[in-house]
Amino acid sequence: MSHPQSIASAHPYRGVWLLCLGVLVFSLQDLIIKKVSGAYPLTQVMAIRSVVAFPILLWLVQRDAGWRRIYQGQLKPLIWRAVVLFLSYTAYYMAFPALPLAAAVALYFTVPLFVTAMAVPLLKEKPHPRLWAGVCLGFVGVMLLLAPGAGVFEPAALLSLFSAAMYAVSMVIARKLGESEQASVMGFYQNLVFLLGAPLLAGLLAGLMAATGWSSGGHPSLTFLTRPWGWITGPDLLLIASCGVVASVGIVMLTAAYRIGPASRVTAFEYTGVLWAPLWGFLFFAEVPTQWTVMGASLIVVAGLLVLKVQAAKAD
């Protein structure tokens, strides 16, 4: 989810609808990756997705900024942001085989809370007291999700939280990039690091396991990460490859949404993603959210919206 800088315009409702549609499109990627997580390695899935997305993102860069922008931009922060996002998405997807989809996605939506907390030491911002209230409320929601008996009290839940923290770091870096870089350029570098990083990580893990005899221990998250690459059947290959198209289309929709609608207003509708996750979990994996999941997710959403509301008021 790469968030471009916004230019407020007179089309806030069009921006909202585009963003909601983009979030729906991105939720399909989560569904696909969870579906294949029991049969194929995460690194191979990420590599195939990145190969498919590469030419699409290259075309977007040419349309938005020209190909020269790829090597004329702020290379160091662009690459660092992409590496952080690689860590974020790797952890995010590792949680899928072990957690209900609704819980994994809800924990990920703590991103605005982490951004608020990190803005103090990294950006020297002084958040309004209501922002801290939102952060505290959100982490109460996290505690409910992780409460004994919630069905989420297992190590993979920490992967979703780590993913949210890393994504928050990437957003802080994106703020420092300012308005000098197009979203397509940031997306291109993100995809490039995924394309190079996935096979590199697979090779490092294979070498480590061969040298030390270490294994995943049967945990589904570690098995998803360390499973060796193999031949992928035609239908599954098409399904995995579609993630590259989904990601690229989603980026286009989010880019358009933030360009034609004020970001301070449009951003709140990213929380519609919390609606799709339990629906896909129920329809495709027979997952029924517990009352703890519903309460925890609800508090996280309320907290995130409170944070966004205060930020929007400051921006006006």
Side-chain angles (χ1 to χ4, degrees):
M1 299 178 202
S2 188
H3 295 229
Q5 298 292 331
S6 64
I7 300 174
S9 70
H11 305 287
Y13 294 108
R14 285 174 55 192
V16 165
W17 282 111
L18 272 172
L19 187 129
C20 290
L21 189 56
V23 169
L24 169 59
V25 169
F26 269 118
S27 75
L28 297 176
Q29 181 174 235
D30 293 348
L31 166 61
I32 292 169
I33 291 180
K34 183 172 177 67
K35 186 172 180 60
V36 302
S37 64
Y40 303 105
L42 173 58
T43 50
Q44 190 173 13
V45 171
M46 293 174 72
I48 293 171
R49 168 196 177 277
S50 301
V51 167
V52 174
F54 188 87
I56 302 173
L57 288 167
L58 191 62
W59 172 76
L60 288 174
V61 170
Q62 168 61 18
R63 185 197 67 174
D64 294 341
W67 289 334
R68 291 184 179 181
R69 193 61 193 172
I70 291 175
Y71 57 85
Q72 289 179 341
Q74 302 181 59
L75 298 186
K76 189 174 181 179
L78 282 168
I79 292 172
W80 272 115
R81 176 180 178 273
V83 170
V84 169
L85 282 170
F86 178 75
L87 295 174
S88 174
Y89 276 91
T90 300
Y92 179 58
Y93 292 132
M94 280 178 64
F96 281 16
L99 292 180
L101 193 57
V105 172
L107 288 168
Y108 180 78
F109 273 96
T110 55
V111 167
L113 313 181
F114 280 111
V115 171
T116 300
M118 291 177 181
V120 177
L122 298 180
L123 299 178
K124 309 301 180 184
E125 294 184 0
K126 296 181 179 180
H128 190 280
R130 279 184 292 175
L131 284 177
W132 286 121
V135 170
C136 293
L137 182 64
F139 285 109
V140 169
V142 171
M143 291 301 101
L144 285 176
L145 272 170
L146 301 181
V152 191
F153 193 69
E154 85 111 68
L158 300 179
L159 290 169
S160 290
L161 289 176
F162 174 78
S163 173
M166 288 297 97
Y167 193 84
V169 171
S170 78
M171 292 183 72
V172 172
I173 296 173
R175 282 192 194 179
K176 289 190 173 183
L177 282 171
E179 297 187 1
S180 61
E181 300 296 344
Q182 294 281 349
S184 56
V185 176
M186 289 190 281
F188 175 84
Y189 272 94
Q190 176 183 335
N191 190 73
L192 180 63
V193 168
F194 279 36
L195 181 59
L196 300 176
L200 176 61
L201 178 59
L204 290 174
L205 288 171
L208 177 65
M209 294 174 75
T212 64
W214 172 71
S215 70
S216 67
H219 192 278
S221 295
L222 289 177
T223 300
F224 188 28
L225 179 65
T226 59
R227 186 182 290 123
W229 287 29
W231 185 258
I232 300 179
T233 61
D236 287 344
L237 181 60
L238 289 175
L239 192 63
I240 294 170
S242 69
C243 287
V245 179
V246 165
S248 301
V249 171
I251 287 173
V252 171
M253 289 180 175
L254 291 184
T255 300
Y258 279 90
R259 279 180 174 170
I260 68 175
S264 59
R265 301 288 183 263
V266 171
T267 303
F269 288 87
E270 291 217 16
Y271 280 93
T272 56
V274 177
L275 303 175
W276 299 117
L279 178 61
W280 303 147
F282 177 75
L283 291 178
F284 293 93
F285 308 107
E287 297 172 350
V288 179
T290 67
Q291 62 178 355
W292 294 101
T293 301
V294 173
M295 288 190 295
S298 298
L299 279 182
I300 290 172
V301 171
V302 170
L305 292 175
L306 175 61
V307 167
L308 294 173
K309 182 179 179 180
V310 175
Q311 289 174 339
K314 289 170 60 180
D316 289 341

